[in-house]
Amino acid sequence: IPYAGTRLVTLTKEDVRQIYIARTALEPIAAKYACEKITDQEIRHLSEIQEEYKRIVRGKELDAVEVYQQNRLYHFSIYKASQLDRICVMIDNLSFFKLIYGQKLLDSEESREKMIAEHQSYLDALKRRDSELIYRLLQQNLKSRAENIPYYSDVYFHENA
């Protein structure tokens, strides 16, 4: 039956490289436009999401799915404010990879605090309506992620796909 059931996606290193090229092109642009259009109410809501994210990430029992969902809510609350609906759909189509790789980003207290600080820097840029800053921050963070993907891990990649 078409469009039914579950499909396992197999990624190669080249697939991941291309995902990050696309994300680095799309996400900073969406955030930049969001910064220009976001309302005070949306910023307050984003602050609440950030507080819940901190609570989850700093918790004793880290649930990867819960972290993923809260992180997704945070980022898509920003992107939605851009009012760039087609770009948001494209970003959404690329976001499945975050569930897999996201666990690696939270494997130490230091990396967890770094993720919280990154989120806070985006929130601060939005509060100041500094669209150039949020663009640079997202672009730098995505480039850093792309350079630090654990390519050695068979968990993530299948070269004969």
Side-chain angles (χ1 to χ4, degrees):
I1 300 173
Y3 308 108
T6 304
R7 188 175 140 236
L8 179 63
V9 175
T10 303
L11 299 173
T12 66
K13 291 177 187 177
E14 180 58 20
D15 293 332
V16 175
R17 187 182 77 78
Q18 289 182 34
I19 287 168
Y20 270 91
I21 289 170
R23 287 186 61 201
T24 303
L26 296 171
E27 292 181 37
I29 268 298
K32 180 178 181 173
Y33 276 81
C35 200
E36 296 167 0
K37 297 181 179 193
I38 198 163
T39 66
D40 290 340
Q41 181 179 355
E42 288 170 319
I43 288 175
R44 283 190 298 277
H45 181 63
L46 195 60
S47 294
E48 292 168 5
I49 294 168
Q50 169 71 345
E51 288 306 310
E52 180 64 9
Y53 181 79
K54 286 194 270 189
R55 185 195 65 74
I56 292 167
V57 170
R58 288 178 175 153
K60 291 184 183 200
E61 301 268 336
L62 196 63
D63 180 338
V65 173
E66 188 178 22
V67 172
Y68 169 79
Q69 289 171 339
Q70 194 67 18
N71 185 62
R72 179 181 166 73
L73 178 61
Y74 180 87
H75 285 275
F76 276 88
S77 294
I78 295 172
Y79 304 147
K80 182 180 174 190
S82 73
Q83 301 173 16
L84 299 173
D85 297 336
R86 293 194 184 271
I87 289 177
C88 288
V89 168
M90 288 184 252
I91 294 169
D92 189 31
N93 289 336
L94 298 168
S95 68
F96 72 91
F97 181 63
K98 288 182 186 178
L99 180 59
I100 299 166
Y101 177 46
Q103 289 177 303
K104 193 68 182 160
L105 295 174
L106 298 168
D107 64 355
S108 71
E109 186 177 335
E110 181 183 342
S111 61
R112 293 175 193 178
E113 290 301 320
K114 183 178 179 195
M115 293 299 296
I116 289 169
E118 285 178 10
H119 278 198
Q120 190 61 50
S121 70
Y122 304 152
L123 185 56
D124 293 342
L126 287 164
K127 286 178 179 177
R128 290 195 308 264
R129 305 303 201 268
D130 191 337
S131 60
E132 293 302 320
L133 176 60
I134 199 166
Y135 181 92
R136 278 193 319 275
L137 289 169
L138 264 160
Q139 191 174 57
Q140 289 167 358
N141 291 336
L142 285 164
K143 283 182 179 182
S144 174
R145 299 267 188 293
E147 292 167 1
N148 293 302
I149 292 172
Y151 284 115
Y152 56 83
S153 177
D154 291 339
V155 172
Y156 302 113
F157 306 110
H158 300 279
E159 291 309 319
N160 296 324

